[in-house]
């Protein structure tokens, strides 16, 4: 749902303080307001896919994580109000994130020193979804939002609502709910990519040959998602304290790596997911003394999902019981601030089935972190340090017959940066970091056929700590002429952990083994916005985004699944009752590929959006009509494991209606 009282889009909330993006010592982005309403999709990956430097894993319409500067999984941690999602979406790309972007107030991508408040080893950044489920302010009486929507690509319907009510004294109650359903998603062309289509067409088996002509809907990708949550908070002059309870459910079909071998069956699997979650938060501002603000955050979640063959039994059950808590204090008054804190994370993870992917395991992690920032006027400095101790233990599984595992990792991360105002409208930003990341249980112990990678995954219990260092330079300009941001980055890994395709096959599926290699990432992002002035009472502007990442392993081989060069340009216009936008996204072909990887064709998408407040005296009623991929292009994201079998949605006409009261 839309925010009740959102901060302006140029404001970023971090653990240190509320700051403008122009004052940060690293790149980042914020999705909020009308742009969030237009971009919001059922998955966090596709919701953020048009932000600078971000693509998505694109595993069908229901399971998609963001890809940040080419980094996936643990190198781009996902948060809800500063703590983890407590799901198993990092285990495999077919696992949905237990987070509904449609109920977000705003979504922030944090990089640089501020990211170390939340994670070590997040080379791509940290994605923090800000919700209003625990109220931070007291409304005047009752405030609410109701929204309904329709999308044509999946015959998708949605409805959501949110209510905040002052119920006496300092108490504020919150309620929200969301329901979303859709049929198998229609694509813009052939289901199979050109190489697979040629193999299918050459098959003497007529059933396989017919796959070469398969177009339209991706079989079995219908979905149904619902979420309900409530919160209670005491809001007082110097802060707030409260809790919330929510339940998230998602049932969705998986796109299939269509078998081109007539002796192999065509799997048809869906996932039924449920998460019960309890959150708590408090924050108190202190008027005097060295301690300026004290805040705490806690979350507990009981997550489970079932992988089910249609018409058959449950093939696997994933059970994850986790909690995370953090306590931090902001010290200092005047130009110097310091945020000091600690966090604890506990995860009990089990996979049950005839061929479990992992043995029963438990991860415990505690961390200490500090972020200092110093405002000297034209010069702003930041520095952060973080220590994490992670302990991973696994017991013997009678089916996997794995050896017991008990490993502990102590990792350090450091980051520092400077933001200097060269002139009143131009700033130069430089930051550097050294990062260590402990391997997670999925990289250490996975053993079996994974529906997400559509292959055999083999973990490595001897994996070392992943170590890297990186630098980033950013130029920001802002004035009456418009704004521009140009960022360049470089990251060097001495021990990079990744699933390498070996070239072998098991039951017709490729084998991926977790390996270690030195690697180098570099790239750039550029954004510009220029106002054109007013014409017929409408303020017009144009914008352009360019991003590119290149990643290479030792020996010169490309890192798999790196998104190619992308350009996105648009023209926007707005007045008191209307806002409109037309944009063109050009994603170039990706032919710089790893061994056993296939190239990906480029594509061009044209998108239009029109927002209208039809009743001048009822300005809180809004209608929005948008058309995405209007020319029905066949589009595939190179970062997706299933890109050759599951293209992006085709032409999608979306209509939403929202009323606030």
């Amino acid at each position: 749902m839309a925010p009740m009282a959102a901060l302006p889009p140029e404001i970023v909330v971090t653990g240190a303080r509320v700051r403008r993006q122009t004052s940060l010592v690293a790149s980042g982005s914020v999705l909020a307001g009308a742009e969030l309403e237009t971009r919001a999709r059922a998955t966090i990956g596709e919701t953020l896919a048009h932000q600078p430097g971000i693509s998505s894993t694109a595993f069908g319409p229901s399971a998609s994580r963001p890809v940040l500067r080419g980094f996936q999984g643990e190198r781009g941690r996902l948060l809800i109000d500063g703590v983890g999602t407590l799901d198993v979406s990092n285990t495999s790309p077919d696992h949905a994130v237990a987070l509904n972007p449609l109920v977000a107030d705003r979504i922030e991508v944090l990089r640089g020193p501020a990211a170390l408040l939340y994670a070590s080893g997040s080379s791509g950044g940290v994605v923090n979804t800000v919700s209003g489920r625990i109220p931070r302010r007291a409304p005047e009486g009752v405030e609410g939002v109701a929204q309904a929507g329709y999308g044509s690509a999946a015959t998708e319907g949605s409805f959501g609502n949110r209510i905040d009510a002052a119920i006496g004294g300092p108490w504020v109650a919150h309620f929200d709910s969301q329901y979303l359903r859709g049929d198998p998603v229609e694509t813009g062309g052939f289901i199979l990519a050109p190489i697979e289509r040629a193999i299918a067409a050459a098959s003497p088996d007529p059933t396989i040959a017919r796959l070469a002509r398969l177009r339209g809907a991706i079989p079995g990708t219908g979905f149904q998602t619902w979420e309900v949550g409530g919160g209670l908070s005491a809001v007082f002059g110097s802060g707030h304290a409260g809790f919330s309870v929510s339940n998230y459910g998602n049932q969705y079909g998986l796109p299939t790596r269509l078998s081109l071998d007539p002796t192999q069956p065509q799997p048809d699997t869906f996932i039924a997911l449920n998460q019960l979650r309890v959150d708590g938060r408090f924050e108190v501002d202190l008027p005097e003394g060295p301690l300026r603000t004290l805040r705490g955050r806690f979350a507990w979640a009981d997550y489970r999902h079932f992988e089910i063959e249609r018409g058959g039994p449950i093939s696997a059950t994933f059970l994850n019981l986790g909690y995370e808590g953090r306590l931090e204090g902001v010290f200092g008054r005047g130009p110097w601030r310091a945020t000091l804190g600690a966090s604890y994370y506990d995860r009990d993870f089990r996979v049950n089935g005839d061929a479990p992917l992992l043995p029963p395991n438990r991860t415990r992690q505690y961390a200490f972190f500090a972020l200092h920032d110093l405002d000297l006027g034209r010069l702003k400095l930041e520095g952060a340090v973080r220590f994490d101790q992670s302990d991973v233990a696994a017991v013997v599984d009678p089916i996997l017959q794995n050896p017991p595992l008990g490993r502990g990792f102590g990792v350090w991360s450091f980051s520092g940066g400077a933001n200097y105002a060269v002139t009143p409208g131009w700033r130069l930003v430089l930051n550097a970091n050294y990062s260590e990341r402990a391997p997670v249980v999925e990289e250490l112990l996975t053993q079996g056929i994974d529906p997400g990678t559509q292959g055999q995954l083999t973990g490595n219990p001897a994996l070392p700590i992943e170590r890297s260092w990186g630098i980033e330079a950013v130029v920001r300009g802002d004035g009456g002429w418009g704004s521009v941001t140009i960022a360049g980055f470089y990251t060097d890994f001495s021990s990079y952990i990744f699933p390498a395709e070996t070239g072998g096959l098991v039951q017709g599926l490729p084998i991926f083994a977790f390996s270690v290699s030195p690697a180098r990432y570099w790239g750039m992002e550029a954004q510009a916005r220029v106002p054109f002035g007013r014409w017929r009472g409408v303020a017009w502007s144009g914008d352009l985004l360019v991003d590119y990442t290149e990643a290479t392993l030792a020996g010169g081989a490309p890192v798999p699944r790196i998104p190619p060069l992308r350009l996105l340009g648009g023209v926007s216009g707005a007045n008191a009752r209307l806002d409109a936008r037309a944009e063109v996204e050009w994603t170039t072909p990706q032919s710089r590929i790893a061994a056993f990887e296939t190239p990906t064709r480029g594509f061009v998408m044209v998108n239009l959006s029109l927002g209208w407040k039809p009743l001048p005296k009822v300005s809180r009623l809004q209608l929005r009509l948008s058309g995405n991929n209007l020319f029905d292009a066949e589009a595939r994201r190179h970062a997706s494991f299933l890109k050759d079998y599951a293209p992006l949605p085709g032409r999608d006409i979306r209509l939403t209606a929202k009323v606030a009261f």
Side-chain angles (χ1 to χ4, degrees):
M1 302 306 297
M4 301 291 291
L7 294 167
E10 72 273 11
I11 300 297
V12 175
V13 179
T14 71
R17 62 169 101 176
V18 177
R19 295 172 289 180
R20 290 186 176 274
Q21 282 187 280
T22 54
S23 71
L24 299 179
V25 300
S27 62
S29 60
V30 179
L31 191 60
E35 185 181 8
L36 175 57
E37 293 175 6
T38 303
R39 301 290 191 195
R41 296 294 183 270
T43 65
I44 185 68
E46 289 304 317
T47 296
L48 292 175
H50 291 85
Q51 297 301 295
I54 302 180
S55 184
S56 93
T57 56
F59 205 95
S62 300
S64 174
R65 284 175 63 101
V67 178
L68 309 176
R69 292 180 168 175
F71 295 110
Q72 301 189 31
E74 292 300 309
R75 301 183 193 93
R77 194 177 184 214
L78 304 182
L79 308 171
I80 300 175
D81 290 327
V83 293
T85 55
L86 303 178
D87 54 26
V88 299
S89 62
N90 66 322
T91 302
S92 176
D94 67 316
H95 297 167
V97 181
L99 184 163
N100 188 347
L102 299 175
V103 301
D105 282 352
R106 55 195 287 105
I107 304 173
E108 304 166 347
V109 180
L110 305 176
R111 297 192 179 102
L116 291 189
L117 293 170
Y118 306 106
S120 61
S122 289
S123 305
V126 172
V127 176
N128 185 35
T129 299
V130 180
S131 77
R133 198 159 270 162
I134 302 175
R136 296 174 174 86
R137 68 174 188 88
E140 296 182 2
V142 178
E143 296 180 356
V145 176
Q147 180 171 306
Y150 168 81
S152 66
T155 317
E156 172 189 319
S158 66
F159 174 78
N161 62 80
R162 168 179 174 170
I163 297 174
D164 288 277
I167 58 175
W171 298 103
V172 180
H174 169 94
F175 174 81
D176 67 76
S177 64
Q178 186 82 26
Y179 178 78
L180 175 70
R181 67 153 307 279
D183 296 331
V185 63
E186 292 281 340
T187 69
F190 290 101
I191 302 300
L192 293 179
I195 293 176
E196 285 68 23
R197 203 160 64 244
I199 295 173
S203 173
D205 187 289
T207 302
I208 302 300
R210 278 198 296 271
L211 296 178
R213 302 188 296 274
L214 188 63
R215 303 176 66 103
I218 303 176
T221 54
F223 55 93
Q224 182 174 251
T225 302
W226 60 270
E227 185 174 24
V228 61
L232 181 66
S233 182
V235 179
F236 39 89
S238 59
H240 67 275
F243 73 96
S244 68
V245 180
S246 60
N247 195 270
Y248 174 84
N250 194 350
Q251 183 171 306
Y252 59 96
L254 297 179
T256 299
R257 180 189 286 266
L258 295 169
S259 175
L260 305 183
D261 182 350
T263 66
Q264 297 292 333
Q266 301 287 1
D268 186 5
T269 303
F270 71 94
I271 287 179
L273 177 163
N274 187 270
Q275 184 189 66
L276 175 65
R277 180 177 172 120
V278 178
D279 288 87
R281 184 181 61 234
F282 75 87
E283 181 170 335
V284 180
D285 294 327
L286 303 174
E288 298 179 355
L291 180 58
R292 181 184 182 94
T293 302
L294 181 66
R295 60 170 66 96
R297 186 75 174 84
F298 173 81
W300 171 92
D302 184 359
Y303 171 100
R304 62 191 60 209
H305 85 239
F306 306 95
E307 299 187 356
I308 306 168
E309 295 285 341
R310 293 187 191 274
I314 296 174
S315 58
T317 301
F318 286 71
L319 305 172
N320 191 78
L321 187 66
Y323 58 88
E324 181 174 353
R326 55 187 293 121
L327 179 68
E328 58 189 62
V330 181
F331 296 82
R333 301 180 188 275
W336 170 78
R337 303 281 177 89
T339 300
L340 308 178
S343 65
Y344 180 76
Y345 169 75
D346 194 304
R347 180 194 195 197
D348 189 343
F349 182 29
R350 298 172 183 270
V351 183
N352 300 326
D354 293 337
L357 202 60
L358 288 160
N361 61 86
R362 187 168 186 178
T363 301
R364 293 184 178 94
Q365 180 186 82
Y366 62 84
F368 300 97
F369 48 84
L371 171 67
H372 293 259
D373 60 286
L374 181 63
D375 189 344
L376 300 176
R378 294 178 65 181
L379 177 65
K380 304 179 188 301
L381 302 173
E382 275 190 19
V385 58
R386 182 182 178 96
F387 172 78
D388 289 84
Q389 176 64 40
S390 297
D391 298 307
V392 180
V395 300
V396 176
D397 184 274
I399 298 175
L400 293 176
Q401 298 182 347
N402 60 287
L405 176 78
R407 294 194 65 186
F409 306 90
V411 299
W412 289 89
S413 295
F414 305 90
S415 182
N419 181 315
Y420 181 69
V422 181
T423 69
W426 288 90
R427 289 182 175 271
L428 176 64
V429 174
L430 294 171
N431 68 79
N433 67 81
Y434 169 78
S435 183
E436 296 180 343
R437 183 181 71 85
V440 295
V441 68
E442 289 81 1
E443 296 165 328
L444 296 167
L445 294 175
T446 299
Q447 184 70 45
I449 292 177
D450 173 32
T453 57
Q454 301 281 294
Q456 167 85 30
L457 272 179
T458 304
N460 182 353
L463 287 173
I465 291 172
E466 183 177 84
R467 294 180 170 90
S468 67
W469 66 270
I471 57 175
E472 181 185 53
V474 185
V475 176
R476 296 190 181 107
D478 189 13
W481 49 269
S483 63
V484 62
T485 300
I486 302 173
F489 61 90
Y490 175 86
T491 304
D492 189 290
F493 290 86
S494 59
S495 50
Y496 176 75
I497 300 171
F498 70 106
E501 190 167 350
T502 66
L505 295 175
V506 173
Q507 298 179 24
L509 298 175
I511 299 174
F512 296 86
F514 280 100
S515 306
V516 181
S517 169
R520 298 187 306 275
Y521 277 70
W522 67 270
M524 58 81 64
E525 298 151 10
Q527 277 186 299
R529 182 179 295 273
V530 178
F532 297 148
R534 299 187 69 86
W535 182 67
R536 294 187 178 273
V538 177
W540 296 92
S541 64
D543 58 82
L544 178 67
L545 180 154
V546 183
D547 54 21
Y548 177 74
T549 298
E550 185 171 304
T552 306
L553 299 169
V559 174
R561 292 173 293 281
I562 299 299
L565 173 70
R566 175 182 62 169
L567 293 88
L568 191 154
V571 176
S572 302
N575 61 19
R577 296 184 59 189
L578 292 171
D579 66 85
R581 175 173 174 79
E583 67 179 24
V584 178
E585 177 185 2
W586 175 40
T587 297
T588 62
Q590 180 59 289
S591 56
R592 190 176 187 275
I593 55 176
F596 312 111
E597 197 177 11
T598 57
T600 304
R601 288 184 174 182
F603 61 86
V604 176
M605 281 191 181
V606 177
N607 307 318
L608 298 176
S609 174
L610 175 65
W612 179 38
K613 297 178 181 178
L615 304 175
K617 295 183 179 180
V618 189
S619 61
R620 305 189 79 177
L621 171 64
Q622 299 182 37
L623 304 177
R624 183 168 299 277
L625 176 66
S626 58
N628 303 299
N629 193 7
L630 283 175
F631 293 101
D632 218 19
E634 182 182 319
R636 304 173 192 269
R637 297 206 189 278
H638 188 74
S640 171
F641 273 95
L642 274 193
K643 67 182 182 66
D644 294 331
Y645 304 87
L648 295 178
R651 184 183 298 111
D652 186 21
I653 307 302
R654 307 183 74 87
L655 176 65
T656 60
K658 184 186 74 173
V659 61
F661 54 88

